[in-house]
Amino acid sequence: AIVRQFEMMNCFTTVSSIALVRSRDKLQSLQLLSRSGVDMPKTVFTNFGEHTDEICKQVDGPPVVIKVLEGTQGIGVSLAETIEAADAIIDANNELGTRVIIQEFIKEAGGADLRAFVVGDKVVGAMKRQAQKGEFRSNLHRGGTAKSITLTKIEEQTAISAAKSLGLEVCGVDLLQSSRGPLVLEVNSSPGLEGIERATGKNIAGEIIKYIEKRVHA
């Protein structure tokens, strides 16, 4: 695990520091994805709960998904089934000085998402993560399960487009399967390798190394 983390860190030296900073700011990364025409769930940024009913309507809710901008691995992500619940969550985060985004809840995804691992201009591995019963977050750290999956052409292209829009050469792109096509949830500039390698049986670290060598000798 230590060796693989070192390999990943080496790979990130090929990516501009600006791209890394942008990708780790969820709000800015969502703005860049939107500007590039990448499809995403409807999203609103707010620090206040004064107009929760209107905000929920803008993202076709309730229910709505509320995320803190600094959260990782599913931490700080809540599902609000009612406007009252959304108002309470937004107000609580506001009291803590925490920035949040409110997103459309994609019911047809069924508590699952796709993680596409992009290296260069191709997807080198993909898995479908399924949330455990009673949980809508599919993160493996939240008890979700994963299995290898072959992406459709449009899912693969969406993942690659998302990576390029943020200037990332190595990243994990999280997608939702919706009735209007794949939607990008998030682009992770420092994705873990263990989960996707276990699910797919692929040597993702090896793909990263090959890409680094190709870049060095180009």
Side-chain angles (χ1 to χ4, degrees):
I2 295 176
V3 172
R4 288 179 177 175
Q5 185 67 25
F6 178 72
E7 291 169 347
M8 182 68 76
M9 290 172 63
N10 280 340
C11 183
F12 287 158
T13 63
T14 68
V15 185
S16 73
S17 59
I18 294 177
L20 287 174
V21 170
R22 288 187 307 195
S23 68
R24 289 171 179 166
D25 184 322
K26 286 186 181 179
L27 180 58
Q28 186 177 19
S29 65
L30 289 171
Q31 291 171 329
L32 290 170
L33 289 169
S34 178
R35 184 185 302 169
S36 298
V38 175
D39 289 331
M40 304 177 297
K42 297 176 182 178
T43 304
V44 173
F45 167 74
T46 183
N47 274 341
F48 305 99
E50 295 179 4
H51 306 290
T52 303
D53 54 346
E54 183 59 34
I55 291 171
C56 287
K57 289 178 183 177
Q58 289 183 42
V59 296
D60 297 339
V64 296
V65 177
I66 302 176
K67 300 178 180 179
V68 299
L69 291 179
E70 293 77 19
T72 60
Q73 299 176 350
I75 299 171
V77 180
S78 305
L79 178 63
E81 300 277 3
T82 65
I83 291 175
E84 291 76 17
D87 193 51
I89 294 170
I90 294 170
D91 277 344
N93 280 287
N94 184 43
E95 288 294 324
L96 296 171
T98 305
R99 301 184 300 165
V100 299
I101 55 174
I102 292 82
Q103 284 191 320
E104 171 188 11
F105 176 61
I106 308 300
K107 182 179 180 180
E108 62 267 29
D113 71 2
L114 309 179
R115 163 63 65 89
F117 206 107
V118 179
V119 177
D121 59 357
K122 66 179 182 178
V123 173
V124 298
M127 63 179 173
K128 184 171 186 175
R129 303 182 298 191
Q130 180 66 55
Q132 61 180 324
K133 187 175 181 180
E135 173 63 77
F136 77 100
R137 296 170 296 180
S138 60
N139 306 74
L140 301 184
H141 290 84
R142 306 264 75 80
T145 58
K147 65 178 181 179
S148 181
I149 188 173
T150 300
L151 300 180
T152 65
K153 290 292 185 182
I154 189 170
E155 288 167 348
E156 186 172 346
Q157 188 54 55
T158 298
I160 294 169
S161 296
K164 287 183 176 180
S165 70
L166 297 182
L168 295 171
E169 296 175 273
V170 176
C171 62
V173 181
D174 296 340
L175 306 165
L176 286 180
Q177 294 175 307
S178 80
S179 58
R180 61 180 187 269
L183 305 175
V184 174
L185 268 181
E186 185 176 350
V187 181
N188 191 330
S189 60
S190 53
L193 295 176
E194 185 177 357
I196 195 164
E197 287 194 333
R198 183 186 298 118
T200 63
K202 294 182 178 180
N203 182 6
I204 305 297
E207 293 291 337
I208 296 171
I209 294 300
K210 286 192 291 184
Y211 179 72
I212 294 172
E213 292 174 343
K214 182 180 178 180
R215 286 292 308 273
V216 169
H217 297 296

